Amino acid sequence: SMTVSSLNAIFVYKYAAVLEDAGHPASDQPKLTVQVTNQSGNQIGGACGTFDVYAGQSGQNFHNCGGVKWLNWSTAAIDLSAYIGQTITIEFTTRDCAQGGHFGYAYIWATCMPLVQDAAFCAGQSAFLQAPTGFQTYHWTTGQSTPSITVTNPSPGSSYLVTLGSVGNQ
């Protein structure tokens, strides 16, 4: 749990999952769940407030070894700026299958980033700006839609904004 401020409003996490594919229906498979809730325990963030990865799920780039599926490290991020001043909880849960006997586990790495970042540059030179990794979309005020941009000869005190779109599967 944490109180969201402008200094920690970008939450970035990386996960790697190992899930035994039991061949059960999706709702019964071993899985990893990420859920973001408010102080009252209610899910926040719409589709971005929960994320599930289950054994055998299509579109997840699983590797296979017999009945075991694993995902290499993947990065995801959540913009928590709408919750500044509130306490939220981010919970990572793994489970075996609902019928018992088939495992699921994951490795997690997480960090928080500020909403505003400064970029150092020398007069007459370009500035390289990098948005946080883990978002699905990036829209800069320059019109570019990449995770990083290069600004030619920026003026001191200039601001460049990027709108970030989170990944969700619900």
Side-chain angles (χ1 to χ4, degrees), residues 76-96:
I78 305 168
D79 178 357
L80 299 171
S81 59
Y83 306 98
I84 289 178
Q86 299 178 41
T87 300
I88 57 104
T89 299
I90 302 170
E91 182 176 38
F92 296 89
T93 306
T94 57
R95 69 165 205 191
D96 68 352

Side-chain angles (χ1 to χ4, degrees), residues 56-76:
Q57 182 177 359
S58 62
Q60 291 294 326
N61 298 317
F62 276 104
H63 297 275
N64 299 300
C65 182
V68 177
K69 312 277 188 192
W70 80 91
L71 289 172
N72 284 335
W73 285 100
S74 300
T75 304

Side-chain angles (χ1 to χ4, degrees), residues 6-164:
S6 62
L7 299 176
N8 67 2
I10 302 294
F11 182 76
V12 179
Y13 64 94
K14 296 182 180 202
Y15 63 93
V18 180
L19 306 167
E20 187 176 10
D21 188 351
H24 301 318
S27 61
D28 288 352
Q29 285 281 58
K31 72 177 176 176
L32 162 66
T33 300
V34 181
Q35 186 170 21
V36 185
T37 56
N38 63 16
Q39 296 175 135
S40 301
N42 298 317
Q43 179 185 312
I44 62 172
C48 299
T50 187
F51 181 71
D52 289 315
V53 177
Y54 60 84
Q57 182 177 359
S58 62
Q60 291 294 326
N61 298 317
F62 276 104
H63 297 275
N64 299 300
C65 182
V68 177
K69 312 277 188 192
W70 80 91
L71 289 172
N72 284 335
W73 285 100
S74 300
T75 304
I78 305 168
D79 178 357
L80 299 171
S81 59
Y83 306 98
I84 289 178
Q86 299 178 41
T87 300
I88 57 104
T89 299
I90 302 170
E91 182 176 38
F92 296 89
T93 306
T94 57
R95 69 165 205 191
D96 68 352
C97 74
Q99 299 178 29
H102 299 100
F103 62 84
Y105 62 94
Y107 301 92
I108 305 295
W109 175 91
T111 190
C112 294
M113 300 177 71
L115 283 175
V116 176
Q117 297 181 14
D118 293 326
F121 65 94
C122 295
Q125 294 185 353
S126 298
F128 178 76
L129 306 178
Q130 174 74 47
T133 60
F135 287 91
Q136 186 170 5
T137 60
Y138 299 83
H139 298 287
W140 294 86
T141 51
T142 61
Q144 293 163 289
S145 58
T146 56
S148 61
I149 63 172
T150 299
V151 180
T152 305
N153 199 21
S155 301
S158 296
S159 292
Y160 299 89
L161 304 176
V162 61
T163 301
L164 308 167

